[in-house]
Each structure stands twice: as structure tokens, then as C-alpha cells.
Amino acid sequence: MAAIELAGLSITLVSAIIVLLGYSAERFSGTRFLTSLLPFAIGVLVLILFASFLFLFWWKLRRSLQGRTVILMPVISVMLAIGSGIWVMDERFALAFNHFRMLVGGKQEVRRVTLAHQVYAAYRRQGVGAMRQMVARGEKYSLLVEDAAGRFQIDPDLLLGIAAAESSFLPRNSSDGGRGLFQITRVPKVVENEAQKHFSGQKRSIIDDRYNAYLAAATFKYYLDEMHGDLLLGLLAYNIGPANGGLRFIMQKYGVTDFTTIQPYLQHLPRDYPIRVLSYALAFRLWRQEGTLPAYQEGSNAVRIQRIGIPGLTSDF
């Protein structure tokens, strides 16, 4: 009973802290001492004092009721936790949570949020009609793409997004050498061997949709590992391929370390490639979870879409 009571109070307090700090970070954002930094610091102090007062009040109430019932206080704490859970589901909490992430995450979170909004903007520019058409085309290949993604531990929506960006789910041989569903050109030999393992040594044609998907999944996994799990750089490396040393050579040449700093040194198409992939991946995620593709600019859809998150980029909550 004591553990249940403590858990309920902890959930309630953590939710309150996130909301209050999130709203405070928004209300007092800035660098001026008197109008931003000092009021925020005072707010944190007030929050600590208020939390201490509540715990003291709870302790006295607990002692006064201890002789009457054993389960009353745990029940009250669970009810408070449930109320906090309902509160968390409200869209206003999502806004406060985003501000709290910005407060704690610093530059890294600012960079992530900026990239996320580039993806949301790309989703909006494409339009619901075009995205629905892309999702409809992708349904024919969804099972084999999901199978390939599962074999190499990749989010299937991400792999579907790559296929959408590469071929629009219209497998063909292109003038630039791209072949099949994922427009496979050159892949590292180790990647080809890794994909081949799943076909019991049987040599498959690169234009075979299933083999093409396995090659794409293995290639993306290879470059994602090479970029130490950085999703944007992994997608860039996949798009650039091994030609002329690949993305690693470009990064070493110009001394850049992330997607933001490398953009000025890339042509428009590869710079835009990860954003396009993620906008398609977002559409497949929305279709999978919502059964529809809401227009980003209508009503409260923007907040709802942000809560669902972009596969691999904002889906950690």
C-alpha cells in the first residue's frame, strides 16, 4: 500500500513539474536577467517550496487518517495519478512538454525541433491528396517492405518512406542506374552479402521486389551504423552511396559533424532527401495509427500529428 501511494504521488508530482516548468520556459523565454532569468529562477524556487508544503500537508493528513483506514491514502494517490494521466492526454500538455524538452535538451533539442518542422512543412506542401496516392501505391508493397525492415531492425515506416522517395512505388530502371523499387545502384559488397544470407544462397535478381527491399534495408542499416545512429546522416549516406568516398569523405573534407552543418556543402537534391523521406514516413505512420491522413493546417491537427511523431526522429515519447 505504501508503494502504491508513493507511486501515485510521484506520477502526479512529475507531471506537475513538467507542465509548470514547460509553461514557465515559454512564458519567461529570453536572456534578459530581470524579465526572463530572474522570474524563471523565482518560479523554480516557488515550485520547490510548494512541493515541500504539499508533502508536509500530505504527511499530516496521512497521520490523522492512519487509524481510520489503511487504503484511503493509497486510493487518493491513485486517483490523483489517474487525473494526471488524463491531463497528460490533453493537447495543452503536449505543448508544455515540448517547451520542457527544449529547456532540458538545449541546442540538441532546438536542432531536432527545427528539423522536425521542416518535415511537417514538407508533409503540408505535398498535400493530403498526393500523400494519399503515395500511401495507396505503397500498400501493394507494404508486407514485403515490413518483412525486410524486420529482418534488419529498421522502422518499417522509414523504409516505406525511402521507397516513396526513390521510386514513388513505381519500380523501374532509371537512366542514372537506379533499379527497382528502391532504385538500387551500387551497394557495398558486405551489404550485398548480408542481404543474400536471407535467401539461402540463391542468387536473386536486383529487380525482384523482395530482394530489392532486402538490399535497401541492409544498405540503410549499414550507413546508419556508420553514422553512429544519426538518422539524418544515415539517410544522406544512403542517398549519396559509396561513390567518391561517400558521405564520410565529404564530412572529413569540410570538417562537419552533423546534418545541419553539412547542408551548405551539398547540392539541393541530397540536402532535401532526408526531409522528403521523413515526410513520407510520417504519412505512413499516420495512416497506420489513424487510418487517415489529416491536413496539417486544419484545426488542431498540427498538435495531434506532432504528438504521434516522426518515425525515428520524434517518436521517443
Side-chain angles (χ1 to χ4, degrees):
M1 287 299 175
I4 293 173
E5 182 180 344
L6 181 60
L9 289 176
S10 299
I11 291 171
T12 304
L13 183 60
V14 168
S15 301
I17 288 174
I18 290 175
V19 169
L20 293 174
L21 288 181
Y23 278 128
S24 298
E26 178 190 19
R27 175 65 180 82
F28 301 113
S29 62
T31 57
R32 293 187 175 183
F33 180 76
L34 292 179
T35 58
S36 298
L37 301 180
L38 183 60
F40 183 80
I42 293 174
V44 172
L45 178 61
V46 170
L47 178 62
I48 294 172
L49 294 174
F50 184 67
S52 301
F53 170 78
L54 284 181
F55 269 113
L56 182 61
F57 172 78
W58 184 269
W59 179 254
K60 289 186 175 181
L61 180 63
R62 190 177 189 276
R63 292 188 65 181
S64 64
L65 296 177
Q66 191 172 16
R68 302 180 185 178
T69 176
V70 178
I71 65 171
L72 180 60
M73 299 307 289
V75 168
I76 295 175
S77 68
V78 169
M79 291 177 63
L80 288 173
I82 293 173
S84 300
I86 296 173
W87 187 24
V88 165
M89 298 304 294
D90 190 90
E91 292 179 353
R92 290 170 293 183
F93 178 85
L95 294 174
F97 181 73
N98 287 338
H99 292 304
F100 181 75
R101 288 183 62 150
M102 196 83 71
L103 175 66
V104 178
K107 292 182 179 179
Q108 182 179 355
E109 180 63 13
V110 171
R111 187 181 298 117
R112 187 195 66 84
V113 169
T114 301
L115 293 171
H117 281 284
Q118 289 183 35
V119 175
Y120 297 135
Y123 172 85
R124 178 182 177 181
R125 285 195 302 269
Q126 286 280 353
V128 172
M131 284 297 191
R132 281 177 180 164
Q133 185 180 30
M134 189 67 72
V135 169
R137 285 181 190 164
E139 286 185 350
K140 176 182 177 181
Y141 303 98
S142 60
L143 290 179
L144 68 90
V145 170
E146 288 173 12
D147 177 54
R151 297 283 184 175
F152 293 94
Q153 299 180 330
I154 297 171
D155 189 314
D157 294 324
L158 273 176
L159 199 58
L160 285 165
I162 292 175
E166 292 288 346
S167 71
S168 298
F169 297 104
L170 300 172
R172 61 192 182 278
N173 293 336
S174 301
S175 57
D176 62 357
R179 304 184 69 185
L181 182 62
F182 284 86
Q183 291 293 282
I184 300 295
T185 52
R186 293 174 54 195
V187 298
K189 188 64 177 177
V190 64
V191 169
E192 186 177 352
N193 293 337
E194 194 65 31
Q196 193 64 43
K197 290 179 182 178
H198 299 278
F199 292 88
S200 303
Q202 298 177 359
K203 192 66 177 177
R204 305 293 288 265
S205 171
I206 196 172
I207 62 174
D208 176 80
D209 291 333
R210 187 164 177 263
Y211 183 57
N212 201 273
Y214 270 63
L215 279 174
T219 302
F220 178 54
K221 177 67 172 177
Y222 172 83
Y223 284 121
L224 194 61
D225 290 342
E226 185 179 64
M227 294 296 138
H228 307 291
D230 189 303
L231 176 61
L232 280 299
L233 291 180
L235 288 170
L236 263 185
Y238 176 92
N239 182 244
I240 293 172
N244 301 318
L247 180 61
R248 181 185 292 178
F249 173 78
I250 298 174
M251 295 176 68
Q252 291 174 347
K253 180 179 180 180
Y254 296 110
V256 297
T257 57
D258 54 49
F259 179 72
T260 303
T261 55
I262 200 175
Q263 289 192 53
Y265 303 101
L266 299 172
Q267 297 177 357
H268 172 71
L269 184 59
R271 182 170 68 239
D272 182 60
Y273 180 82
I275 303 301
R276 287 191 295 119
V277 169
L278 292 177
S279 67
Y280 290 129
L282 173 62
F284 284 105
R285 171 65 56 81
L286 290 171
W287 185 260
R288 190 187 301 274
Q289 295 192 13
E290 301 273 300
T292 185
L293 295 180
Y296 189 80
Q297 65 274 18
E298 292 182 2
S300 60
N301 286 347
V303 174
R304 194 165 100 247
I305 291 172
Q306 290 175 29
R307 283 177 65 92
I308 292 173
I310 301 165
L313 188 64
T314 62
S315 53
D316 59 334
F317 174 66

